[in-house]
Amino acid sequence: MNSVLDELTWRGMIADSTDRQALAGHLAQGPVTFYVGFDPTASSLHIGHLMQLMVVRAMQEHGHHPLLLVGGATGLIGDPKMTGERKMNDREVVEGWVESLKAQVSKYVDMDGPAGARVVNNYDWTSEYSALRLLRDVGKYFSVNRMLARDVVARRLDSGISFSEFSYVLLQSLDFKELHERYGCTLQTGAQDQWGNITAGAEFIRRTSGDVVHGLVTPLLTKADGTKYGKTESGTVWVDPELTSAYAFHQFFLNAEDAKVIDYLKVFSPRPHDEIDDLARQTAEQPWKRAAQHALADDITDMVHGPEARRAAEKAAQALFGKAELYELDETTLGSVACEVDAVTLQGPTLPTVADAMVLAGVVESKSAARRAVREGGAYLNNVKVTDADQPLTSDDFLPGGVAFLRRGKKTIGAVQR
């Protein structure tokens, strides 16, 4: 069997690590306890977090024991950003987010098997530290010169950085030390932007106890042009269906670029090497079939939302483009689709004509363009071809949830909602 490092390397999930040979030897000696942290800066995980959970799953498959840290303490401060100070959220809000993230991280990994995961909260030990104890027991071991040299801090010096965010590295290093002492944790994993925090924690443990621990970071998910992956025009791609519907989630991954789709498959799909290699071949030889995109969207949506929600999302997409009946979709799915196409809420008691509705929905620029689309046979109301641009909508034209879909041609879709 290949080692977990070989598997993660093939899947493109290692950007850097502490001494690779030493880490490989440590993992080969037997099951190790490792941890990855998630700060509650929102009520839901996003797909960047999901990549970290894929590392956890791979480690578990090789018998290693994960600690999933939800940062009830660090979430009150926030890891420094390149762009400016984070908002300090109320303690009650953060506590609610902690509980939400605890439930979410538990969904994606094995909590009960031989390598079952444990969820921990760093507030449990950080709350026991007074300011004086933190300065004496932790701060004494950190060089301000090295802290100033960290990339995120150096870039913020001109615009300003608070002492709270500047000191975040002390708290994350303390987490590593506490987990090392409490659970025998000897490895921390995370995203590439956590490298400085992880190595600082390893150094803190070495200086205070003489013990050698390890770190491993994944690359940031990026598009072909190098920009961050996981953002849409409407915002972050969340795993919570209340924030990103199964339909929107599935569509997002269906639109993955040919140049990067295999990279994403390796990260998010459980398919074996030979299947992914075959999908890579198909993408190179027949990119128009988008076989890899369909595999990616199906696999990750099944994992996050479940097969039933994925099938509903596929049916909704087919119905929107006239390949299935909109009337067969349930109200929840119709509402998700309406949200994704930015359905316009109608004002007043009088229903518009089809031409007016097409303008309101944004599928045409003017009533004359709407009439032209009707004349040319390219205007549709709920997938039914429109023959009279001036016919008013009726109550029967609105699907469950009070939404009606307008389409021009094959791909230009909008909606109005009562």
Side-chain angles (χ1 to χ4, degrees):
M1 179 187 294
N2 288 340
S3 73
V4 67
L5 291 183
D6 291 337
E7 179 68 15
L8 292 174
T9 299
W10 182 83
R11 291 187 177 272
M13 296 174 73
I14 299 180
D16 208 344
S17 72
T18 50
D19 188 310
R20 173 70 179 252
Q21 187 173 355
L23 175 57
H26 181 58
L27 292 169
Q29 287 174 2
V32 306
T33 298
F34 69 100
Y35 99 91
V36 59
F38 304 90
D39 271 352
T41 55
S43 63
S44 173
L45 302 172
H46 54 68
I47 61 170
H49 296 128
L50 204 57
M51 185 178 189
Q52 302 312 311
L53 290 166
M54 297 302 98
V55 174
V56 174
R57 288 168 72 140
M59 294 284 287
Q60 277 192 308
E61 288 173 3
H62 286 77
H64 303 296
H65 304 284
L67 299 169
L68 307 176
L69 184 147
V70 179
T74 43
L76 290 168
I77 294 174
D79 202 3
K81 296 192 302 181
M82 294 289 188
T83 53
E85 287 288 310
R86 290 183 182 273
K87 176 185 175 183
M88 288 277 193
N89 294 298
D90 293 339
R91 189 180 301 273
E92 294 76 15
V93 172
V94 173
E95 288 174 354
W97 290 348
V98 166
E99 294 307 311
S100 178
L101 263 60
K102 280 183 178 180
Q104 288 185 351
V105 296
S106 301
K107 173 183 174 182
Y108 296 101
V109 301
D110 183 1
M111 300 297 296
D112 302 312
R118 179 195 295 261
V119 178
V120 295
N121 182 348
N122 59 16
Y123 189 80
D124 293 343
W125 54 82
T126 308
S127 60
E128 299 174 354
Y129 274 74
S130 66
L132 187 59
R133 183 185 175 193
L134 186 70
L135 291 173
R136 283 181 59 87
D137 294 355
V138 183
K140 176 66 176 176
Y141 295 93
F142 286 78
S143 162
V144 171
N145 291 345
R146 291 185 65 178
M147 291 170 70
L148 287 170
R150 294 179 64 211
D151 190 40
V152 67
V153 172
R155 294 192 187 189
R156 288 276 300 280
L157 288 179
D158 289 337
S159 60
I161 183 171
S162 70
F163 180 75
S164 297
E165 288 196 11
F166 177 67
S167 303
Y168 182 94
V169 64
L170 274 67
L171 297 181
Q172 187 164 328
S173 298
L174 175 62
D175 290 343
F176 202 173
K177 183 173 186 290
E178 287 285 342
L179 294 175
H180 177 62
E181 293 176 351
R182 292 172 183 237
Y183 303 107
C185 176
T186 53
L187 169 65
Q188 182 182 172
T189 64
Q192 193 169 14
D193 56 6
Q194 293 299 307
W195 179 246
N197 290 330
I198 291 173
T199 54
E203 176 66 10
F204 178 45
I205 291 170
R206 188 195 66 78
R207 294 190 66 187
T208 53
S209 69
D211 294 342
V212 175
V213 294
H214 307 272
L216 181 153
V217 291
T218 63
L220 298 176
L221 286 174
T222 60
K223 300 176 184 176
D225 63 3
T227 57
K228 196 170 182 179
Y229 188 70
K231 299 283 187 178
T232 68
E233 291 182 2
S234 57
T236 304
V237 180
W238 305 101
V239 304
D240 185 339
E242 295 297 318
L243 299 177
T244 301
S245 69
Y247 171 80
F249 194 88
H250 193 261
Q251 287 293 309
F252 177 81
F253 287 98
L254 273 179
N255 291 321
E257 303 163 288
D258 289 345
K260 297 291 285 186
V261 66
I262 300 302
D263 293 344
Y264 307 146
L265 262 174
K266 288 180 176 180
V267 171
F268 294 117
S269 173
R271 295 173 190 250
H273 295 197
D274 57 347
E275 281 191 37
I276 293 177
D277 288 341
D278 184 57
L279 286 165
R281 178 190 58 76
Q282 292 182 54
T283 298
E285 296 176 357
Q286 299 175 310
W288 60 89
K289 290 188 174 181
R290 302 185 70 75
Q293 280 86 349
H294 282 281
L296 170 67
D298 289 355
D299 289 353
I300 192 169
T301 306
D302 281 355
M303 177 174 61
V304 173
H305 294 277
E308 185 175 344
R310 186 259 300 168
R311 286 190 290 268
E314 289 181 308
K315 191 172 184 180
Q318 292 170 350
L320 269 183
F321 297 104
K323 297 178 181 178
E325 288 294 334
L326 283 165
Y327 293 94
E328 295 178 359
L329 303 181
D330 61 74
E331 184 173 338
T332 300
T333 302
L334 287 167
S336 297
V337 176
C339 181
E340 290 308 310
V341 299
D342 293 326
V344 175
T345 301
L346 298 175
Q347 304 296 325
T350 304
L351 294 177
T353 64
V354 171
D356 287 331
M358 291 178 71
V359 175
L360 287 170
V363 298
V364 292
E365 295 180 354
S366 64
K367 289 179 70 172
S368 60
R371 291 192 176 97
R372 183 166 60 252
V374 171
R375 285 197 308 271
E376 294 172 352
Y380 299 84
L381 171 62
N382 295 331
N383 285 340
V384 177
K385 186 175 291 188
V386 176
T387 57
D388 181 2
D390 295 315
Q391 73 180 55
L393 271 62
T394 69
S395 296
D396 291 340
D397 292 320
F398 290 88
L399 302 167
V403 62
F405 291 93
L406 290 305
R407 176 162 55 91
R408 176 174 58 84
K410 292 182 178 181
K411 296 183 178 181
T412 307
I413 298 170
V416 293
Q417 199 159 17
R418 299 180 71 179

